[in-house]
Amino acid sequence: MDHFDVTIIGAGPVGLFGSFYAGMRGMKTLLLDSLPEPGGQLSALYPEKFVYDMPGFPKILARDLARDMTEQGTRFAPTERYGEKVEHLVKTEEGFQVQTDHGVHETRTVVICAGAGAFSPKLLEVDGIEDYHGRGLHYFVKNKSQFEGKRLLIIGGGDSALDWAQNLEPLAKHITLIHRRDSFRANEESVDWLMNRSQVETHLHWELRRLSGEPHLREAHIYNNHTQEEKTLEVDACLINIGFHASIGPIREWGLELEGGSILVNTHMESSIPGVYSAGDICTYDGKIKLIATGVGEVCIAVNYAKRFIDPKAKVFPGHSSGMDMF
């Protein structure tokens, strides 16, 4: 059985940067993720969306950011295990056992970068709607080209719904967006674009009653939840963005101090269990802001303190990469 200096749970952007930093500190690293490929939500949820708030990139497709961060995160050849779900974390004399559905890994420290945990889209509760899976109904966008020249209905009023409206407007023949309220839960700039600068047909206080069409989606029947007025839209596709369910699953049973669904950490990004650290959306502390840019900074702190945990003589700050011989 391999013995690792650090096991990083989660191979999203934060975990990948943690893997890079651990390699830079000369740590033998295991990178684990339950998803079949690295990249986390960048790859699994919105690969075709642009990311605008990552330092150094005025804008970059999520899939390209995942690709570049994977290249960086695997630079020092960590052991990579994808499609492997962590079930138990057990304290041992030499550190920890990370027990997965594929086996057991021995490690001296652990850095948990599991994002929001396991996620699944919130399903719209409309009779018969699930019959249109694969026939025009979508909860995710893996490939924007599938909407080219299509009449698209987007349902939702949060960041994802408005982001996809903005991303798909140049491709789709026509976009209609409906939202059950008269206010949005999205970035102010996105709302301004939607209402004042876009060609998207927007209906507030409108909801979906049913979908119809054979064998493919052809019509969406919507209604105003104030007046009960009904309309029938000719559509080729329906994209539902009403949020996600997230669960940290077995992490709740590991004996960590939690606040809601988040791991409480101190200024060293260390949890209530010495030697177990956390970074990214899965952790919390006073003043926490959930951004990729924040998470990659947190994981640097976590990895550096994990290094000193296993080697008390090691400096917490290793110096700047521009002055290191390895580069």
Side-chain angles (χ1 to χ4, degrees), residues 1-8 28-30 89-92 94-98 104-111 275 310:
M1 186 184 299
D2 284 334
H3 292 254
F4 297 94
D5 292 322
V6 61
T7 292
I8 297 175
K28 186 176 181 180
T29 305
L30 171 63
L89 182 65
V90 179
K91 186 76 179 75
T92 66
E94 296 183 353
F96 301 91
Q97 275 192 351
V98 178
V104 177
H105 307 284
E106 297 281 351
T107 187
R108 300 175 73 182
T109 61
V110 175
V111 180
I310 63 178

Side-chain angles (χ1 to χ4, degrees), residues 265-270 285 301 305:
V265 295
N266 60 21
T267 55
H268 296 176
M269 307 311 296
E270 189 174 40
Y285 49 84
I301 297 171
Y305 278 99

Side-chain angles (χ1 to χ4, degrees), residues 160-194:
S160 290
L162 272 64
D163 285 351
W164 278 124
Q166 190 165 6
N167 271 273
L168 296 173
E169 187 188 40
L171 288 176
K173 180 179 180 180
H174 180 77
I175 296 178
T176 302
L177 184 145
I178 64 173
H179 180 40
R180 62 179 180 168
R181 298 188 176 96
D182 61 359
S183 60
F184 296 95
R185 295 167 289 104
N187 182 279
E188 291 89 344
E189 167 63 19
S190 298
V191 175
D192 180 70
W193 170 84
L194 178 71

Side-chain angles (χ1 to χ4, degrees), residues 72-297:
Q72 182 183 46
T74 57
R75 175 172 185 151
F76 298 105
T79 298
E80 300 170 74
R81 295 285 184 269
Y82 304 122
E84 190 165 342
K85 181 180 178 182
V86 179
E87 296 177 336
H88 304 287
L89 182 65
V90 179
K91 186 76 179 75
T92 66
E93 290 186 4
E94 296 183 353
F96 301 91
Q97 275 192 351
V98 178
Q99 301 176 357
T100 78
D101 56 354
H102 283 58
V104 177
H105 307 284
E106 297 281 351
T107 187
R108 300 175 73 182
T109 61
V110 175
V111 180
I112 303 171
C113 305
F119 46 83
S120 59
K122 291 182 179 178
L123 303 181
L124 193 61
E125 296 182 0
V126 172
D127 289 344
I129 191 172
E130 302 309 317
D131 295 341
Y132 284 91
H133 271 299
R135 298 195 293 139
L137 177 66
H138 305 267
Y139 285 95
F140 299 107
V141 179
K142 298 290 282 187
N143 184 356
K144 288 195 298 187
S145 64
Q146 65 190 316
F147 299 105
E148 187 169 0
K150 300 289 182 66
R151 298 165 299 181
L152 172 63
L153 171 65
I154 297 178
I155 301 175
D159 282 312
S160 290
L162 272 64
D163 285 351
W164 278 124
Q166 190 165 6
N167 271 273
L168 296 173
E169 187 188 40
L171 288 176
K173 180 179 180 180
H174 180 77
I175 296 178
T176 302
L177 184 145
I178 64 173
H179 180 40
R180 62 179 180 168
R181 298 188 176 96
D182 61 359
S183 60
F184 296 95
R185 295 167 289 104
N187 182 279
E188 291 89 344
E189 167 63 19
S190 298
V191 175
D192 180 70
W193 170 84
L194 178 71
M195 303 304 292
N196 300 313
R197 289 175 279 138
S198 79
Q199 299 299 312
V200 175
E201 181 182 341
T202 302
H203 297 284
L204 303 181
H205 287 302
W206 286 77
E207 300 184 47
L208 181 68
R209 179 147 307 208
R210 62 187 177 92
L211 299 175
S212 64
E214 291 294 339
H216 196 276
L217 174 61
R218 289 290 176 263
E219 294 178 331
H221 307 271
I222 63 174
Y223 70 97
N224 185 297
N225 57 28
H226 278 193
T227 66
Q228 299 306 307
E229 177 188 355
E230 295 190 8
K231 290 183 180 180
T232 297
L233 307 176
E234 294 184 353
V235 298
D236 305 300
C238 178
L239 175 60
I240 298 174
N241 288 140
I242 56 174
F244 293 91
H245 296 290
S247 171
I248 63 172
I251 293 176
R252 289 192 180 278
E253 312 303 322
W254 294 358
L256 300 161
E257 186 176 355
L258 303 176
E259 185 177 286
S262 301
I263 300 168
L264 278 169
V265 295
N266 60 21
T267 55
H268 296 176
M269 307 311 296
E270 189 174 40
S271 73
S272 57
I273 300 177
V276 178
Y277 302 80
S278 185
D281 287 358
I282 190 69
C283 76
T284 193
Y285 49 84
D286 186 37
K288 169 77 177 187
I289 297 176
K290 295 184 177 183
L291 294 170
I292 298 175
T294 307
V296 295

